[in-house]
Every structure is written in C-alpha cells, then in structure tokens.
Amino acid sequence: MLTPPIPVVLPLLMAALLAALHRMPRPLAFLLSILTTITVGAVAIALLNYSREEPLIVYWFGGWSPRQGSAPGIGFAIDTAGAMLVLLTSVLATASLIFSSRYFDTVGTLYHSLLLIFVAAMNGFALTGDLFNLFVFFELMSVAAYALCGYKSEEPGPLQGALNFAVTNTVGAFLALTGIALLYSRTGALNMAQIGRALGDRADTLVVVAFALIACGFSVKAAIVPFHFWLADAHAVAPAPVCALFSGVMVELGLYAIVRVYWTIFSGALATHEAEVRTLLATFGGLTAVTGALMCYAQRHLKRLLAFSTISHMGILLLGVALLTPQALAGVELYVVGHAFVKAAMFLAAGILLHRTATLDEIELARRPRRLWVPAALLVAGAAGLAGAPTFGTFWGEMMIGGAAHGLRNEWIEGITFAASAATAGALFRFAARAFFGWGPARDPGSKIEELPDTQTGHRHTPAAMWVPAVGLMVAGLVAGLAPRLTGAALSSAIHLEDRAGNASRVLDHMAPYPPAVGDQPLMAGDVARGAGCLAAALLVAWLTLKSRAIFPAGRLRPAVRWLRDLHSGIIPDYVTWVMVGTAAFGAAAVLWLRG
Amino acid sequence: MTWLPYAVAIWLFLVGIYGVITSRHFVHLIICLSVVQSSTYVLLLGIGYRVGAAAPVFVDIPPGTPAVDPVVQALMLTDVVVEVTVTALLLALAVLAHERTGKLDPNKLGILRG
Amino acid sequence: MKPAARLTLFGVAAVTFAVIVGSAVADIRPNDWYADFVNRVTVPERQITDAVTAVNFDIRGFDTLGEEFIMFASVLGVALLLRRHRDERDGPPRDRAQGRDIPPPSDAVRILTVALVGPVVLFGIYVVAHGQVTPGGGFQGGVVLATAPLLIYLAGEYQSLCRLAPRWLMESAEALGAGGYAIVGAIGMLRAERFLENWMPLGRAGDVFSGGSVALIDWTVGLEVAGGFILLLLIFLEETLVRRDPA
C-alpha cells in the first residue's frame, strides 16, 4: 500500500525542494505547490473511498508491525474522520495558494515551503495513531504557524502576535508532553491503541492527571477558554490566506486531538465517570462559546472579529464533544467541515477587502463605504453559515448535536449554541452593513489596529485569483451540505472513532471487526425552523446594534465587557498565567471527580 | 530518593513559568521557556532510569545486559536539538520586535489589545 | 492585569499544579516493555549496537523525520523573519554598537581556533559516521560540525566565514539533508516495502557500516543539522553586522 505516507511525505519533499531551488520563478513555485496539495487531496479521496470498506486503515512505518499485541513502531491509524481532515486541509491549502498566487508578497520560495510543511504536519497529525508522533506533528505544525504568523515582519503588530502565539502554544506543548511522559511511564507504550488497552478500566491519580495535562495542552491549540488568548492576536496580524488555514483546520485539530486521545486511550479508564467528564468538558465549552461571542461582538477589526467567532464556535464544538455520544460526535464532524469552508472563505474575503481598501477597520470603512460586492456577499453568506442556516455543514452539525443534547436532557447546550451562533453571525451582519453600505455610523473608544496590505500592487480591482477560491469555498460549503446520506456517513464514522476495543484489535491484532451499517438521522421540520430562527435572531441582533451608535450597546453589560476586553491585554505573562490557572482548575476537577 | 528527579522536574516547570510571568525582557522570557523545556527532559530521563543498569550501547557489553530505557533518551535528544532552533525563531521575533518598536518589555508592547 | 494579581493567581495555580502532578508521580512505577524490547532487538535484528540511534532512525524513524523538519521549518522561519525588508539596505559589516572599538583577535585566539578547526571537523565526521555503533549520530555530530565555521569566525573576520561557508551552500546542504532523509524513506516504499523500512545490507554489529539505511540517515541528518545551525549563525550575523536601518 503506497498511499498513507503521501499526505505527509510529499509536501515535505516538495518543501525541501522549493527551499533548495529558492531562485525558481514565482509561477513555477506556485504551480508545484498547488500540484502537491491537489495530489494530497486526491490521495485523501482515495483513502476516504477505501475507508468505506475498511473502517480503519493501519500502516506501520519501517515495517515494524505489532508483535504479540504490542506495537514497537509508529503506525498511522486512518479512519474516515482523519481522511476527511486531510481532504479539508488540502482543499483549504489549495484555495489559499491560488488566492496568494497573484499579488501576495512572497519571499523567494519561503512562503511556499513553510505552507507545505504546515500542510504536511496537519495531515500527519490527523492520520497518526502514535501519541508521541502526534506530539511531533503538533510541534511541527506550531513552528510553521509561528513563522507564517509573523510573516509581515515590517510591522510591529505581527511580531507581537507571533510572539504571543509562540510562547503560549509552546507552554501548551510542554503540558501535553508531560502528560504523555506520565502515560509512557504507566504503560511503557507510545501507540495510542496499546496505551488504551493497557490502561484497563480504572483510572488512578496518574491516569487522571495525564488526561488533564494532555487535554489542557491541546486546549491551548484549540483555543478553549482560558487558553484562548493567543488566537485573536495571531489572527489579527497573520496574512489572510494563512488565517484561513489557521481558523479552518489548525484550531479544529487541537480539538480533534482531544477527541482522539479521549476515545482511543481514556474512554475505558474513565468509563465509570462519563457524566463527570461530560460536565467538565461542557463547562469549558460553554464558557468558551459565551466568551467568544461577547468578545466577537466588541471588535471592530474584521480579522479579530472572525478570530473571536472561531473561539466561540470552538466552544460550540467542545460542547458537542462533551456529550460523548456518537450522534454528537457526528454532528461535530459535520460542523467542523461546514465551519471550515465558511470561515476560510470569510478570511479570504477579508484579504480581498484589505487588498482593495487597505483597511479592515469597521469604523474607518463606515466613513467611506465601498460597494465591493464580492467581499460583501461572502461575509453575508458566511454569517448565514455561522448561524447554521440550512444546507451549510453547520446546519447539519447543529441538528445532530442538538438531537444528542435532547437525548441526554442537556437542553442548555442547545441554548448556548443558539445564542453564540446568533451573536457571532449578528456581529458579521453588523460589520457588513456598516462597512459596505454605511448603515448606522458609530464610534468606539476601543483601539484601532493598523494593518498594511499583504499584497504589492493592483488595488483597483479584485483579481480572479483572489475571488475565485473565496467564492469556490463558500459554494463548496453550501453544496457539501446537499450530499446524500451525509448524516449517515458521519454517524458511522463517529461510531468507529468511539469504538476503542474494536480499533485496538484492528491496530494491534490484525483483526477486522465487521462494521455495522448505520442509517441517517431524519431531517425534521423543527431543525429547519431552528436554523432559520437562528438566522433571524442574528439579523435582529445586528439591526439592534446598528440602531445604536456604539459598537457594543447594552449598557448594563458594558462594564462586564470592558473587564473582559481588558483581560485580553496582549501581554504574554497574563496569557501564561491564565494557561496555568486553567490547567490547575481542570486538573483539580479531574483529580477530585474522575478517579477510581 | 527515586522521587528526586520528579520533584526537580516539577520545580523546574514552575520556576520557568514563574520566570515567564514575571519577565520584563523578552530574551529572559525566551530563556525561561528553555528552563520549562528542561523540566520535561528531566521527567523523561527520570522515567527511563533503571537502578544498576548500564547505558544502552552494546558495543562493549554483551546484548542482553540490563540497560536503561533508550526510548526516552531518543525522544529527548531530538527535542534538545529542535529546541535550539525554536528558541532561535523566538529570538528572531524578539530582535525584530525591538527593532520595530524599540521596546523589549513584554508588558509594554501594547499594539494588540482588547 | 496588575502584577500583584498575576502573581497571586499564579501562586495558587502553581501550588495546585505541584500537588496534582506530585500526587500523580507519587507511586510511579515505570513499565519496562518498550525499553526491554528495544534493548533485546537492536543487535540481532538490525545489527545496531547503539540502541538510542536504533530507536531514533529505525524503530521510530518517522518521528525523527518530523523533528528534523521542525528544525528545517525554524531555520526557514528565521530566514523569513530576518530577511532584508523593503526599507533596509546592506552595508559593509560593522558592529552595530556605536563608538565601540573592536580589538582584532589576538594571535593566541587565531592560532588556537585555526588549529582546532581540523580536529573538530574530524571529530564531527567521526560522531556522525559512528552513530549506529557508539553514542552519537546525525544530531550530535551535526552540532559538532556546525562549530567549525564558528571557530573560523572567531579566528578571522566575518568575511572569511562568508567565503568559507557561503549562505547558498548551507541552504543547499540543509535542504539536501532534510529532503534526503525523506528520500531514503521513500526508496523503502519503492521497493514495495514500508516507508523508512531498512533496505540496505545490515552488515555486522560493531562495524561502521552496520544498521543498513541508518548509516545513510546519519549522514543526511548530520548534513541537515550542521547546515541548519551554520545558516542560523550566518543569518543572525548578517542581521547584526550587515543590515542597516533606513537612514
């Protein structure tokens, strides 16, 4: 079987080649990079096809297959979710590369090499079945991201953003590594399936602490409150095509790691405390969704606004993950896909806006509104997508998460999801209305973030290389939701992911359990009503804000929002303090409630 | 005394983070991150140590002699080299930040806020 | 946050953290399975006497490929960040600190460093080549090799360094090393085996040419690490000595 290493090895090889031949003409560099990402996408589709018959494709590097149920080598454990993430990465990366092919200020071939390394790392992260390999790809992904974030190093902003990003994520990586070391000491293994088997069905202090450390470490990447402070800073300053990848895939991979690690390693040991795990994760998720939505509303810089909406939606995703049922996990998968397309398209739209007007500030744009149809349409459609309007992936995702929440009588989760989606979508509607149509002039005492364009020349029209990928992504997001038997496919994928014992025997004992057939979740009128209702709520919220003069109205909430905004100080010591506070809180809760 | 490496690891981690939190100079902050990284090394090596065992090199001892854990050593040694380059990346960011803003105090950069 | 508030929050979090992790480590009893497996298997199955290298480049070789590329990406990142920006120019090398008189290197330093360059390079090559036999390997040897140009810089001037270890050479070496590792792995795939399968003849334990493709990987990694470190040195020196701010 030749294909499993390709999503990782091909981009790495091409990155090395491009770095060696760094004087190659720019179109050639772009051509090679785009061909690479397209090839990886094709391989992902092949893997997806294959995974319909074989729920888990196992590939051992160096030929070190398992012996007597123990795995000495590094293995890829490719299931539908992983292959889907690789496909998503390839599509987004191709779009970003096409977007930046015309005017982006590339520095030799450094941009292409770093982007390809970034893509390779994300692919490896999604496909691997080995815990330390997961960590290595996590580090690789992060390092490429730090460099890409500080890309526009002529300005001071990107440097601060990149530093905040780098220091906070490095601390997160150390936390995760500590947890991994603890697991290694207990089980003597680094293969996830083997660790899961060795942990048995009881969790003592060490196991619980390892879970807390690994979850907190990956939560930094996943921008869960209070580990989230770096994300807005990083997104505000990174170039638009890079932000598309950050918000579209990278942040979601942090959550994917938590899901993987929980289901493959800890679900047996923590099985008796499922309710407590649910509460713990849901608390963090709810907190994230609400904080993200509030902060999102108070922003005037488009990329920072989109960044906080990502944080809010990560909260929604964590709420879905917290439910711990296959239906909820299937909803999360669909939501991730829908959100990725929509968010990436919106970041590319921000890039187009920056290219044409050299500013992304809502107030400044409101003073001289420009009728730029492509970014306007993309932002409005994207807002609808974030609100969970029908046929976006987010709609199906919310439907399934809501169904799962109902089943567990956790309706408050639905409530928070609804409110957060409406708020973030409303903020985007408000931005579009002010920036493109000049409705409701406003003033805001908050700080303005200066930003120089990513592009060199040609600010008078939007080149096809820019609007085609952006529109294409948005259309893909809409159309993907029309795929037949979407919920059924997601449901079977989720069931396989959660099948700890079955996966372990596939990985370690070369045995193939028969995959059960799963039906679709039927679409109910209530779901469509909810989707439409959320959209309506978002429009209402936007309209109410436009009528008032301030960016963030609601006088009684203002001191709270002011306090929240002050917390996001841009100061690294503050951020790291919050990471420690969050870890201590999660760890204490875990030790108190998840043992035994 | 087998608890000593673990105590040192926890201490290094917390002291390093303390350094990051109270730092007023970016270079100091980045070096404190290296201190935090060393805590993970000490933890890994402490886990891998076997009392009375030899180094896992079988050139002058017969294969099969009890030896310490080579896996954690392998994990650690690549991390050490990699950490240097990542530190270099962070230092490059700090150098540039100083060039662009004239400041090196993490508390004072203040461009991204709210 | 006010520093006092920060410190209090951290204090509480730190104590909690120490208690939690301390109690987790309290009855730690390391599991020997992986260690025993590797120690038992490296010589009979791969003819490698240095178990650490066996883990790094054979049993967990894919991890090391990732780590190597972390290095590669960091160096690329530094090159990207410290590039010559549109408003900067390059000038003849001089120390940025104004009004500081740099004394020329003393004769003792010159003699010592030049005398050491040869042995250091030889030692570096030895460490890289013997990775599968004795403690060493690509990473360690590469670092030793990277100190040789540093010695030249200490002995002579910056320009001697640039002539002897030019940037284009180091960039090519680094890319060749990084790509080379991936290609060695890919050759395994082309022979209808798995990626990074050991496809070269294994030799005899204790020989320099044992371990199969591990011997080759030692060289690619050594090349990459040495190239990467020297490149970092060159980039930082260029930024400090050559780059001029806009007037």
Side-chain angles (χ1 to χ4, degrees):
Chain A
M1 241 209 299
L2 279 182
T3 50
I6 291 182
V8 179
V9 174
L10 186 63
L12 287 180
L13 264 175
M14 188 56 71
L17 183 71
L18 288 175
L21 305 173
H22 57 93
R23 276 191 228 278
M24 106 174 21
R26 184 193 159 104
L28 182 60
F30 269 110
L31 184 65
L32 286 174
S33 319
I34 293 175
L35 280 177
T36 311
T37 52
I38 292 181
T39 315
V40 171
V43 168
I45 295 178
L47 286 172
L48 267 176
N49 249 340
Y50 197 70
S51 73
R52 265 192 278 153
E53 304 138 27
E54 283 223 348
L56 195 68
I57 304 169
V58 183
Y59 183 92
W60 295 103
F61 283 91
W64 288 94
S65 310
R67 306 177 184 199
Q68 291 125 14
S70 304
I74 297 178
F76 268 3
I78 306 173
D79 61 353
T80 317
M84 192 65 223
L85 282 167
V86 172
L87 182 60
L88 197 60
T89 313
S90 314
V91 169
L92 258 53
T94 314
S96 295
L97 280 167
I98 297 178
F99 181 88
S100 37
S101 61
R102 199 73 160 75
Y103 288 114
F104 193 77
D105 187 9
T106 62
V107 180
T109 53
L110 286 173
Y111 172 71
H112 312 84
S113 291
L114 281 169
L115 202 69
L116 284 175
I117 295 178
F118 188 46
V119 166
M122 290 196 284
N123 292 339
F125 194 84
L127 296 179
T128 188
D130 183 281
L131 194 55
F132 192 75
N133 201 217
L134 191 73
F135 175 76
V136 168
F137 282 125
F138 179 80
E139 282 276 288
L140 184 57
M141 185 165 78
S142 305
V143 166
Y146 307 154
L148 287 169
C149 179
Y151 196 89
K152 298 192 276 189
S153 45
E154 293 95 354
E155 309 157 46
L159 300 170
Q160 183 183 5
L163 274 166
N164 291 3
F165 184 9
V167 175
T168 322
N169 279 47
T170 309
V171 173
F174 296 155
L175 287 172
L177 185 57
T178 311
I180 294 175
L182 289 177
L183 278 182
Y184 175 77
S185 77
R186 171 55 53 86
T187 61
L190 289 171
N191 181 284
M192 290 202 264
Q194 190 178 343
I195 299 178
R197 213 180 238 183
L199 282 184
D201 52 1
R202 275 2 253 321
D204 64 343
T205 318
L206 187 145
V207 173
V208 158
V209 170
F211 173 62
L213 286 171
I214 295 179
C216 290
F218 286 125
S219 293
V220 174
K221 180 66 81 188
I224 307 296
V225 166
F227 310 104
H228 70 290
F229 290 93
W230 61 271
L231 194 145
D233 295 343
H235 278 69
V237 297
V242 171
C243 285
L245 279 170
F246 281 3
S247 253
V249 195
M250 185 186 78
V251 175
E252 282 78 0
L253 281 176
L255 198 59
Y256 171 77
I258 298 178
V259 169
R260 235 333 183 195
V261 164
Y262 177 78
W263 283 107
T264 318
I265 298 181
F266 291 103
S267 54
L270 294 175
T272 45
H273 293 275
E274 230 183 52
E276 283 91 340
V277 173
R278 200 169 276 150
T279 320
L280 185 57
L281 292 177
T283 315
F284 277 91
L287 201 58
T288 312
V290 169
T291 311
L294 280 175
M295 285 299 297
C296 173
Y297 225 92
Q299 297 303 312
R300 49 189 276 190
H301 184 250
L302 180 60
K303 291 208 302 227
R304 219 171 145 83
L305 196 156
L306 287 171
F308 277 111
S309 88
T310 301
I311 295 176
S312 182
H313 288 273
M314 290 310 295
I316 296 176
L317 286 171
L318 183 56
L319 281 173
V321 165
L323 288 170
L324 296 180
T325 68
Q327 189 186 16
L329 191 58
V332 167
E333 286 179 24
L334 292 173
Y335 201 101
V336 164
V337 173
H339 173 263
F341 282 122
V342 161
K343 200 43 87 58
M346 286 199 281
F347 269 110
L348 294 186
I352 296 177
L353 189 56
L354 187 62
H355 176 78
R356 296 294 300 276
T357 64
T359 179
L360 284 178
D361 188 72
E362 184 172 338
I363 314 275
E364 196 172 305
L365 285 167
R367 288 201 203 110
R368 264 165 307 141
R370 305 264 305 268
R371 304 275 164 138
L372 294 164
W373 293 112
V374 173
L378 284 172
L379 286 180
V380 167
L386 287 185
T391 85
F392 281 104
T394 45
F395 167 70
W396 296 104
E398 277 197 38
M399 178 181 114
M400 297 188 84
I401 296 177
H406 259 300
L408 288 168
R409 272 184 275 280
N410 276 344
E411 280 85 357
W412 64 274
I413 289 183
E414 270 203 279
I416 293 194
T417 309
F418 187 93
S421 315
T424 52
L428 277 162
F429 282 132
R430 180 200 82 204
F431 185 96
R434 281 224 180 89
F436 299 110
F437 303 105
W439 295 345
R443 45 174 169 69
D444 171 50
S447 53
K448 172 172 185 264
I449 302 175
E450 296 288 348
E451 184 160 1
L452 291 178
D454 312 328
T455 51
Q456 305 157 314
T457 57
H459 301 292
R460 221 146 316 142
H461 68 284
T462 311
M466 281 184 153
W467 63 261
V468 167
V471 171
L473 281 177
M474 190 62 81
V475 169
L478 258 170
V479 163
L482 294 169
R485 288 187 290 113
L486 195 62
T487 51
L491 206 48
S492 6
S493 145
I495 292 178
H496 291 138
L497 211 157
E498 299 191 357
D499 179 15
R500 184 180 56 96
N503 285 338
S505 68
R506 275 206 67 76
V507 170
L508 300 170
D509 307 324
H510 311 279
M511 289 206 292
Y514 186 80
V518 188
D520 280 328
Q521 176 171 338
L523 179 61
M524 317 272 275
D527 299 315
V528 180
R530 193 198 328 111
C534 195
L535 186 57
L539 288 166
L540 180 67
V541 166
W543 181 72
L544 284 174
T545 333
L546 284 172
K547 276 180 22 130
S548 88
R549 291 185 67 86
I551 281 275
F552 192 91
R556 242 167 302 152
L557 271 184
R558 198 167 296 168
V561 175
R562 161 109 294 140
W563 173 78
L564 201 57
R565 290 185 76 169
D566 284 341
L567 277 185
H568 292 73
S569 53
I571 298 177
I572 292 181
D574 283 350
Y575 292 4
V576 175
T577 313
W578 285 113
V579 170
M580 288 305 290
V581 166
T583 313
F586 196 107
V591 166
L592 289 175
W593 291 315
L594 296 181
R595 270 190 300 178
Chain B
M1 269 315 223
T2 49
W3 52 266
L4 194 58
Y6 306 115
V8 168
I10 298 177
W11 166 252
L12 279 177
F13 192 96
L14 292 173
V15 145
I17 301 275
Y18 171 79
V20 171
I21 290 178
T22 55
S23 177
R24 281 193 306 252
H25 194 284
F26 262 117
V27 178
H28 170 265
L29 193 151
I30 293 167
I31 303 296
C32 285
L33 276 182
S34 303
V35 172
V36 179
Q37 174 113 37
S38 333
S39 81
T40 56
Y41 302 153
V42 174
L43 179 64
L44 278 171
L45 290 178
I47 288 173
Y49 186 69
R50 312 266 177 269
V51 180
V57 181
F58 300 106
V59 143
D60 42 359
I61 51 176
T65 342
V68 297
D69 187 344
V71 178
V72 288
Q73 292 190 17
L75 301 183
M76 211 209 92
L77 92 81
T78 48
D79 266 346
V80 168
V81 176
V82 164
E83 178 214 334
V84 175
T85 47
V86 178
T87 307
L89 184 61
L90 293 175
L91 285 172
L93 283 169
V95 162
L96 276 178
H98 179 249
E99 265 181 53
R100 301 281 175 242
T101 63
K103 302 187 201 136
L104 265 179
D105 189 338
N107 297 294
K108 302 253 183 350
L109 268 189
I111 303 145
L112 299 168
R113 227 180 313 135
Chain C
M1 266 200 284
K2 296 223 184 57
R6 212 186 279 167
L7 220 45
T8 336
L9 270 179
F10 171 70
V12 170
V15 167
T16 320
F17 184 88
V19 164
I20 290 174
V21 181
S23 58
V25 195
D27 47 15
I28 201 170
R29 273 158 286 113
N31 184 315
D32 285 337
W33 173 75
Y34 213 163
D36 286 341
F37 176 86
V38 173
N39 285 334
R40 209 176 14 159
V41 143
T42 60
V43 177
E45 289 197 26
R46 290 287 189 267
Q47 301 295 326
I48 301 176
T49 48
D50 180 7
V52 178
T53 306
V55 174
N56 250 338
F57 296 132
D58 194 323
I59 303 177
R60 297 189 68 87
F62 193 59
D63 262 350
T64 314
L65 178 68
E67 301 261 18
E68 195 196 37
F69 268 92
I70 296 179
M71 254 201 77
F72 189 66
S74 309
V75 176
L76 281 183
V78 173
L80 176 70
L81 290 169
L82 293 180
R83 65 184 183 268
R84 183 175 355 133
H85 295 107
R86 259 173 268 148
D87 55 352
E88 291 175 336
R89 325 163 272 116
D90 284 351
R94 72 166 161 73
D95 195 341
R96 274 243 176 106
Q98 303 295 348
R100 188 164 72 182
D101 214 17
I102 309 170
S106 73
D107 286 336
V109 170
R110 270 220 164 94
I111 294 172
L112 194 61
T113 48
V114 171
L116 272 179
V117 169
V120 162
V121 171
L122 210 54
F123 185 59
I125 293 178
Y126 163 78
V127 172
V128 170
H130 284 73
Q132 55 275 10
V133 182
T134 48
F139 283 96
Q140 299 93 315
V143 175
V144 173
L145 279 174
T147 56
L150 181 54
L151 285 173
I152 298 175
Y153 168 68
L154 290 175
E157 302 197 352
Y158 171 65
Q159 270 148 339
S160 318
L161 173 64
C162 286
R163 246 176 297 137
L164 283 161
R167 192 156 159 175
W168 63 267
L169 186 61
M170 296 302 117
E171 287 171 347
S172 315
E174 204 209 356
L176 189 62
Y181 192 148
I183 291 178
V184 169
I187 293 180
M189 259 167 73
L190 291 175
R191 291 162 56 100
E193 290 156 352
R194 302 299 188 178
F195 187 82
L196 278 180
E197 184 129 19
N198 208 322
W199 49 271
M200 278 173 66
L202 285 176
R204 207 168 38 118
D207 270 357
V208 174
F209 290 111
S210 53
S213 36
V214 172
L216 193 55
I217 291 177
D218 264 334
W219 280 105
T220 58
V221 173
L223 201 60
E224 200 244 347
V225 172
F229 271 83
I230 301 172
L231 199 53
L232 277 179
L233 179 67
L234 288 173
I235 295 173
F236 271 100
L237 281 175
E238 202 176 287
E239 173 71 19
T240 321
L241 297 178
V242 164
R243 198 75 75 226
R244 300 280 179 266
D245 289 329

